[in-house]
Amino acid sequence: MKTTIRQLIIVLVLFMLAGTSCTDFLEENNRTSNTEDILYSSKSGIEGLVAASYSYLRGWYGKEAAIGLSEGGTDTWLTGYDNRQKVLINYSGITPEVASSTRETMNACFDEFWEMLYTAVNVCNTGIKAVNNAGDQVLSALEKDQYLGEFKALRAFYYWHLVETWGPVQINTDPVSSISSVAYRASEADVYEFMLNDVDEAIVHLQARTAKTGRINLWAARALKARLLIYKASKFDDAASYTAAAAEAEAVITGSGASFFTNYADCWLGANEDGVNNREVIWHVDYSTELAYNIMPSRLKLDASNNQMTWSQMILRNAANAIGGNASHLMFTGVWNSVPATSAILRRTDTEANKNITFRNVVYNVGLSYQPYSKGFTRFVPSGYLLDVFDRETDQRYQASFRDVYYVAPQLAAAFAGGVAPPTGYGLMRDTAIYLCPETVTPAQVARAANRYVLFSRTDVGDPLVWPLYETEAAVMPTIATSTSGVQNNKGNRMYIACKKFDDYTGTVIRDLGSKDAFIFRLSEMYLIAAEGYMMSGQAGPAIQKMNDLRTARAIAGMDNSLTATELAQVNAKEIDIILDERARELCGEQQRWFDLKRTGTLIDRVKLYNGAAAPNIQPFHILRPIPQPQMDAVTNKTAGPDPEGFWQNTGY
C-alpha cells in the first residue's frame, strides 16, 4: 500500500454540524465556536486539520469536472462524443447558473468548486490560528514550523486556483467567524502578492523539512513559488518576476533531489505511480490503494429544504460505493472495445468474469492484458496540433504519452498463430488488432494493414476499410459519430489516439477509479519555468541550455532532440509559442493547459487556430469563468462592474 496522509475525518464533523445556508460559502454560519477552540487546542485536533487541508485537493486533481476546466477548451484537446461539459469546453453557452443534470451541460461545477476552494482556505485559516495559539506543551517548535508551512503553502495553492479561474477574488486571512452578506474582490495583483507572501513564509517555516513524504516540504513550497512567479511575470509583464522565477526554478532543480528517468515512459508506469517514490515528482496529491480512504469531505452547504447537498458525480464519480480515486485514466480514451471488427477479442475486463473471453466457442482468460487500456469514456480527443507538436523520430514523449496501437491478448494471439481463425476479414491478424495513424496513411500502409489489423488514418483516403479520425488534415475536428452503434464507433470522436500517461495498473480489473497519485510538480516543469524566465528576461543563452537539457533527457536513444535552428530563433525573439509547444509535449493532460494559455494571452488565438468546435464561440471575456450564481445571490453589495466597495459578476456573463 502506498503511503497516505491519514484521514482524520472526525475533524470535518465539526464543520458539518455548523450547518450552512443554501447560499454561498462567503455567507456561512460561525465556524469558530468555543467547541472548535477546545478541539483544535490539542495536537490530534491540529493534525486533523492538517489532514483535512490536503483532502480538498482530491476534489480537483484527477476529477472529471476539473479536467474539463483545466484541459478542455484549449488547443490540445477536442470534444469527445460523451463529453459531459460540451457547453463549457466549446464556449457555447457558459453561464453562472448551477447546471442541470442533462448530459450536455453537466457540468462546470462552478458553484461546487467555489465552495470547495473557499472551504479549503477556511480549513487552512483555522489551522494557522490553532498552531499560533498552541502552547509549547502541545507542539514543539519544529512541529509548529512544519504545520504553519503546510497551511500557508496550501492556502496559497488554493488561492492560485481561485484567482486563475475567476480573477479578482476575496482574500480571507482568518477563519469565518460571523454571518455576512457583504464580500469584496481583491485585484489579481493583490491576490498574487498575498500568495507569494504566504509561500515566502512557508519556505522559512519549512527549512528543515526537505524529505519527500507526500506532504508539503521545502522543495514543494519553492516549486509553488516558481510557478506563482512565472504566472505573475506573464500576467503582468513583470521582468523582475521572470528573473526571480528562473532563479527559484533553478534552486529546485539543484536542491530537490529530483532527477529524470532515462525513459520518459517510466515516469508513468504503475511501479512509479506513488509520488513519494517517483524520482521526477516534487509534490503530488496522494491517492491510496485503499479507495475508501480517498473520499472527499462532505459538502457544507444545505439546499432550500435544509438538506445537506452532495458533490456532483463529475467530482465524486462513485459516491454510492463509498470509494474515491483518480479518474484521469477515463478521460482521454476512446471506445477501443467497441470497434466492430475487433470487439469480440478486445473487451473491457471490468469484472473478473469478463476476463474470460469466448471466441469461436473457446474460452480464453486474458488476465490483466487489457488492464492499461481503461474504459473508453470518450471525453477528450487529441487535437492535430497536439499530435504534430512532437518530433516522433527524435522525441520519446509521443510514444510514452499516447496509445495508437491496441494489441490482442497474448492468449488469443497464440491461438491465432496456432491456427484459430482470427476475426472475419483479418485472417492474417496476430498480435496487432488496431493501429491509429497520427498522419494520413500512405498506400503502402494500407497494403500492410490489409487482412492484418484495423487501420485508422488521420484523414479519409477513400478506402472503406480505412477509417478517418479527423475531417481535414488540420485535424481541428474529429469525424463525428451520430450514435453509439456499429461502425459509428469507428468515428473520430468515439475512437481516437488515447493519452496513456494516466493508465491504471493497480487492481485486478479495469476500474472506474484508480489509485495513481496526481503529480502536481514534476522536475520538468522547473526546467520549463527556468527556460521561460530566462527567455522573457532576455537571457537567451541560459534559456536555450535549459530547454536543450530537457529535450536531451526526452530524446530517443541515439537521436538528437535539441532545438532546431528555427526554434533557436524563436528563443532569441522571445516568442512564447516555443515555450507553449514544449509545455504541450511535456505536460499534456496534467491540468495546466487552460491556465497556461490564459496567463500568456494566447488562449483566444490558439483555440481559434486548433479547436474547430470552440473556435466560432470563444470570446475575450472567456478568459475568466463566471462567478457562481449562488454567490451572486448571497451578496448584498453587488455592483455593475469593478468596484473596491462592491462585488460584481465577471464581464460577459
Side-chain angles (χ1 to χ4, degrees), residues 44 169 291 469:
S44 62
V169 291
L291 297 183
L469 294 169

Side-chain angles (χ1 to χ4, degrees), residues 333-350 354 357 370 373-378 403 406 433-434 436 456 484 486 489-490 494-496 510:
T333 304
V335 286
W336 56 273
N337 58 300
S338 298
V339 174
T342 57
S343 60
I345 57 173
L346 296 180
R347 298 276 188 87
R348 288 179 175 175
T349 54
D350 51 354
N354 285 347
I357 294 178
Y370 299 143
Y373 293 174
S374 184
K375 296 183 178 183
F377 274 33
T378 65
R403 175 173 288 108
Y406 287 83
I434 300 171
L436 303 98
F456 287 80
T484 61
N489 289 307
N490 292 345
R494 295 280 293 161
M495 180 56 176
Y496 44 85
I510 294 176

Side-chain angles (χ1 to χ4, degrees), residues 340-570:
T342 57
S343 60
I345 57 173
L346 296 180
R347 298 276 188 87
R348 288 179 175 175
T349 54
D350 51 354
T351 66
E352 289 294 331
N354 285 347
K355 291 179 180 179
N356 296 308
I357 294 178
T358 301
F359 183 71
R360 305 212 184 279
N361 299 317
V362 176
V363 177
Y364 299 89
N365 187 299
V366 300
L368 298 177
S369 297
Y370 299 143
Q371 173 81 9
Y373 293 174
S374 184
K375 296 183 178 183
F377 274 33
T378 65
R379 301 300 198 243
F380 294 101
V381 178
S383 68
Y385 160 74
L386 180 57
L387 297 177
D388 294 344
V389 78
F390 298 90
D391 185 332
R392 292 186 286 273
E393 299 297 319
T394 66
D395 198 313
Q396 301 178 38
R397 288 175 290 189
Y398 173 76
Q399 285 299 335
S401 300
F402 294 97
R403 175 173 288 108
D404 54 18
V405 181
Y406 287 83
Y407 294 103
V408 177
Q411 298 84 348
L412 286 158
F416 299 161
V420 173
T424 302
Y426 295 91
L428 298 179
M429 181 179 290
R430 292 297 180 264
D431 61 341
T432 301
I434 300 171
Y435 174 52
L436 303 98
C437 187
E439 300 172 339
T440 297
V441 297
T442 64
Q445 287 174 302
V446 175
R448 189 180 308 122
N451 207 27
R452 287 182 172 86
Y453 48 85
V454 182
L455 181 62
F456 287 80
S457 170
R458 183 177 181 121
T459 59
D460 191 359
V461 293
D463 189 314
L465 294 180
V466 179
W467 301 94
L469 294 169
Y470 299 93
E471 292 183 346
T472 65
E473 190 65 35
V476 298
M477 285 283 287
T479 52
I480 302 298
T482 56
S483 72
T484 61
S485 62
V487 294
Q488 291 298 311
N489 289 307
N490 292 345
K491 295 298 181 69
N493 67 338
R494 295 280 293 161
M495 180 56 176
Y496 44 85
I497 295 172
C499 180
K500 64 181 182 181
K501 291 164 73 169
F502 312 111
D503 286 352
D504 175 33
Y505 292 93
T506 305
T508 61
V509 296
I510 294 176
R511 304 182 294 179
D512 272 15
L513 292 170
S515 55
K516 177 175 281 189
D517 290 339
F519 303 155
I520 306 304
F521 295 119
R522 292 194 293 113
L523 178 63
S524 54
E525 184 182 350
M526 298 300 106
Y527 277 79
L528 291 162
I529 289 172
E532 183 178 348
Y534 286 133
M535 185 181 83
M536 299 306 289
S537 60
Q539 302 177 72
I544 291 167
Q545 184 63 58
K546 272 291 167 284
M547 292 190 74
N548 275 337
D549 287 346
L550 176 58
R551 295 274 284 264
T552 298
R554 302 310 193 204
I556 293 172
M559 303 300 293
D560 181 5
N561 194 40
S562 55
L563 296 171
T564 65
T566 299
E567 290 171 325
L568 290 170
Q570 285 182 288

Side-chain angles (χ1 to χ4, degrees), residues 173-189:
T173 59
D174 298 306
V176 175
S177 59
S178 61
I179 297 173
S180 174
S181 63
V182 176
Y184 304 96
R185 299 181 67 181
S187 70
E188 292 181 74

Side-chain angles (χ1 to χ4, degrees), residues 223-272:
L224 174 56
K225 182 177 180 181
R227 184 187 288 184
L228 294 178
L229 285 167
I230 205 68
Y231 268 72
K232 180 185 178 187
S234 56
K235 287 169 68 70
F236 304 116
D237 193 21
D238 183 345
S241 291
Y242 277 122
T243 301
E248 199 65 24
E250 287 279 25
V252 178
I253 291 168
T254 303
S256 66
S259 61
F260 290 122
F261 287 103
T262 301
N263 297 313
Y264 178 62
D266 288 350
C267 187
W268 306 103
L269 290 180
N272 298 315

Side-chain angles (χ1 to χ4, degrees), residues 600-615:
T600 55
T602 59
L603 177 66
I604 310 299
D605 290 343
R606 290 179 77 95
V607 166
K608 287 183 175 180
L609 277 174
Y610 301 121
N611 192 325

Side-chain angles (χ1 to χ4, degrees), residues 301-332:
K301 292 176 66 173
L302 307 178
D303 62 20
S305 300
N306 284 325
N307 297 314
Q308 187 175 7
M309 300 176 72
T310 59
W311 304 110
S312 164
Q313 286 298 294
M314 296 283 288
I315 295 172
L316 289 183
R317 169 117 243 119
N318 247 336
N321 295 329
I323 62 171
N326 191 332
S328 298
H329 60 296
L330 305 175
M331 298 296 107
F332 304 97

